[in-house]
Amino acid sequence: MNEAGPTQVVDVVVVGAGIGGLATARLLDRAGRRLRVLEARPRLGGRLHAVEVGDRRLDLGATWFWPGERRVAGLVAELGIATHAQHLAGDALFHDRPSPQRIDGNPLDVSSSRFSDSAVDLVDAVAASLPEGTISTDTVVTRIERGADGVRVIHGDTSTAGSHVVVAVPPATAVRSITIEPPLPERIAGLAANTPVWMGAIAKAVAVYETPFWREAGLAGGAISHLGPLRELHDMSGPDAQPAALFGFAPLGTDGTAPSTAAVVAQLVELFGPAAAAPLEVVVQDWRAEPFTSAPGVAGLTAYQTYGHEWFAEPVDGRLHWASTETGAVAPGHIEGALAAAERTAERILTS
Ligand SMILES: Cc1cc2nc3c(=O)[nH]c(=O)nc-3n(C[C@H](O)[C@H](O)[C@H](O)COP(=O)(O)OP(=O)(O)OC[C@H]3O[C@@H](n4cnc5c(N)ncnc54)[C@H](O)[C@@H]3O)c2cc1C
């Protein structure tokens, strides 16, 4: 084993304070387990992330949850988180030539719910339900050791020991950035290394306006563009249309960089007209450039059939568990998938 001495001994060490790690911790805490959650970033939430604009927050990661996602709906109700319906009314746009075509009605946006302040509300509320001192931020896990009587998780020059470790980090990022000893069985290591990080290879651009002027023109804010840089766009305004916002996803550019704000605004003007030229704010979040989401080398992975693979449900040596959304047997990729993975993991630990 590594020389670093344990500074703390708990029952379960959770690596990653995204919603998967936090939800696992919450279920285990309720069952009386002693926990430590180790988070590499200075903030919680991973792919649930927002930027403050005035007194509101704008989501730079997840935006929606959908009908039938009972775990998200249950948590939202239990924690009293404000939500509202996605704006659907108006026509969508199809952009494959300089003047976009107007599509009668809006086939692009489906009925879904939005977190009225931000998806980070979910993170904050789950984190607040854990005992004080459970979560350590700015704590990068570099090594996990499994032994006959437990696990040791190394971070900096210290470590945390426990009976179980929950890897609530996208598997492809985990196996590229954390040394696991003894090495994972070859089939599991290969599966983890090849499992794409959901939305880990895109940039999300959000533009905030004084008013949702596109709605006044009978447009829904939804668009599909083959001319880019944004390929899929939606209305992302708050419940009372404040802040008024549009957002779009940009896939990896040919030069591997995220679109500039100027390129985003120019495309919004092409799509929605001259009123789009004067945003109050434009924020571009490049998820490929976030090593704790997309470790170098993962952006090109495409084997989505690995999502929710049954091997992710098997704890390695009964002690190393996976709990990121990519490992969820239900809705992998979504927040719902992370909550499903958390449920499965907590149950395995509690019945072991
Ligand atoms: C742009 C975008 C849009 C999306 N839209 C939606 C949507 O509308 N609806 C929806 O349901 N889902 C959406 N998703 C997906 C959703 O955000 C994820 O499913 C969910 O947030 C994943 O949670 P997670 O806990 O599994 O992983 P993550 O959120 O990635 O959490 C992993 C955590 O592990 C930490 N970590 C990584 N390495 C280490 C280390 N070595 N040591 C310690 N900590 C480490 C990370 O910092 C992070 O906090 C979107 C994602 C993105 C990026």
Side-chain angles (χ1 to χ4, degrees):
M1 284 214 172
N2 188 286
E3 288 305 306
T7 52
Q8 196 180 1
V9 179
V10 291
D11 296 321
V12 183
V13 188
V14 178
V15 184
I19 194 64
L22 291 171
T24 309
R26 181 166 182 268
L27 293 169
L28 292 171
D29 172 63
R30 286 174 150 196
R33 296 300 187 271
R34 290 170 308 153
L35 294 156
R36 188 155 184 216
V37 181
L38 306 170
E39 168 54 48
R41 288 175 164 110
R43 63 170 181 86
L44 308 182
R47 282 170 278 176
L48 303 187
H49 179 42
V51 64
E52 275 179 33
V53 173
D55 59 349
R56 306 292 279 263
R57 295 195 285 187
L58 291 169
D59 282 310
L60 300 179
T63 316
W64 304 291
F65 62 100
W66 290 274
E69 294 193 331
R70 66 169 174 84
R71 294 170 183 83
V72 190
L75 206 52
V76 158
E78 196 181 330
L79 299 171
I81 291 166
T83 62
H84 64 282
Q86 169 69 28
H87 176 79
L88 300 176
D91 292 341
L93 295 172
F94 186 67
H95 189 208
D96 66 345
R97 61 199 72 170
S99 345
Q101 292 168 254
R102 196 165 173 140
I103 302 170
D104 193 19
N106 177 11
L108 302 181
D109 284 301
V110 295
S111 173
S112 61
S113 297
R114 296 260 322 278
F115 301 93
S116 293
D117 178 30
S118 146
V120 178
D121 278 1
L122 201 59
V123 171
D124 292 344
V126 176
S129 73
L130 295 172
E132 220 181 304
T134 303
I135 307 171
S136 303
T137 51
D138 292 304
T139 304
V140 180
V141 169
T142 52
R143 185 178 171 92
I144 295 172
E145 298 172 345
R146 303 186 311 284
D149 46 2
V151 295
R152 196 135 72 106
V153 178
I154 320 292
H155 38 96
D157 56 4
T158 176
S159 68
T160 306
S163 301
H164 297 267
V165 59
V166 176
V167 180
V169 174
T173 289
V175 296
R176 281 168 176 80
S177 50
I178 303 174
T179 303
I180 300 179
E181 285 293 338
L184 294 171
E186 218 168 290
R187 69 185 169 99
I188 306 286
L191 172 68
N194 287 309
T195 297
V197 178
W198 182 250
M199 302 300 253
I202 60 120
K204 176 173 171 176
V206 183
V208 184
Y209 292 95
E210 196 90 52
T211 61
F213 60 87
W214 55 94
R215 294 187 188 177
E216 285 142 33
L219 293 172
I224 290 291
S225 172
H226 292 303
L227 303 183
L230 305 178
R231 298 303 173 96
E232 182 189 323
L233 297 98
H234 304 273
D235 185 305
M236 206 184 90
S237 307
D240 44 4
Q242 285 301 320
L246 291 166
F247 88 93
F249 295 125
L252 190 69
T254 45
D255 59 356
T257 57
S260 65
T261 55
V264 167
V265 174
Q267 187 185 6
L268 292 172
V269 170
E270 260 185 78
L271 285 165
F272 298 103
L280 300 175
E281 188 114 27
V282 178
V283 187
V284 179
Q285 169 75 27
D286 184 356
W287 286 96
R288 294 160 301 195
E290 295 276 326
F292 297 120
T293 299
S294 296
V298 310
L301 298 176
T302 52
Y304 290 96
Q305 68 274 18
T306 56
Y307 275 22
H309 198 290
E310 59 188 15
W311 293 348
F312 285 129
E314 293 170 17
V316 179
D317 293 341
R319 297 198 182 278
L320 185 151
H321 308 254
W322 304 98
S324 84
T325 186
E326 288 78 9
T327 74
V330 175
H334 293 182
I335 300 169
E336 181 77 359
L339 298 181
E343 246 175 41
R344 178 199 66 223
T345 298
E347 198 181 307
R348 289 302 291 260
I349 291 173
L350 294 173
T351 55
S352 71

